[in-house]
């Protein structure tokens, strides 16, 4: 199952809870698969394309990666908690 982020917070929470209930190994495999897919896409991206902003008020790939990197410690804690089974 995949959930659209614009489906609303209840749908996203339900999806995360479902995935977390499948255990740490499952969550780890999902994160690794996403990481590997992102790495492959980024390797095919030129520096110019990575810095391109579709509009002044939109983000470039570089902007998004900076955000993800800065929030990684918080995301790691959240993934650990979710894969352990605590309620959202």
């Amino acid at each position: 199952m995949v959930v659209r982020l614009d489906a609303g917070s209840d749908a996203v929470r339900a999806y995360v809870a479902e995935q977390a209930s499948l255990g740490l190994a499952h969550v780890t495999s999902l994160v690794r698969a996403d990481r590997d897919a992102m790495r492959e896409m980024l390797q095919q991206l030129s520096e110019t394309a990575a810095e391109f902003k579709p509009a002044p008020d939109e983000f470039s790939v570089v902007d998004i990666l900076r955000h993800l990197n800065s929030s990684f410690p918080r995301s790691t804690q959240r993934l650990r908690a979710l894969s352990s089974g605590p309620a959202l």
Side-chain angles (χ1 to χ4, degrees):
M1 174 185 167
V2 175
V3 65
R4 293 178 48 99
L5 295 178
D6 61 359
S9 59
D10 288 342
V12 173
R13 282 190 179 101
Y15 170 78
V16 171
E18 177 187 348
Q19 298 306 307
S21 73
L22 298 174
L24 180 58
H26 174 73
V27 172
T28 300
S29 71
L30 292 176
V31 172
R32 284 187 177 141
D34 285 347
R35 176 204 61 199
D36 293 347
M38 285 175 46
R39 182 183 298 148
E40 186 175 324
M41 286 186 289
L42 290 171
Q43 288 174 343
Q44 299 173 20
L45 194 62
S46 71
E47 188 173 333
T48 301
E51 294 174 349
F52 173 75
K53 290 186 176 206
D57 62 338
E58 294 188 23
F59 298 105
S60 69
V61 170
V62 170
D63 295 331
I64 294 166
L65 290 174
R66 283 188 185 127
H67 169 74
L68 290 173
N69 283 336
S70 69
S71 66
F72 191 72
R74 188 179 71 237
S75 296
T76 300
Q77 292 171 349
R78 187 177 304 123
L79 287 168
R80 280 193 181 116
L82 288 170
S83 65
S84 300
L88 299 171

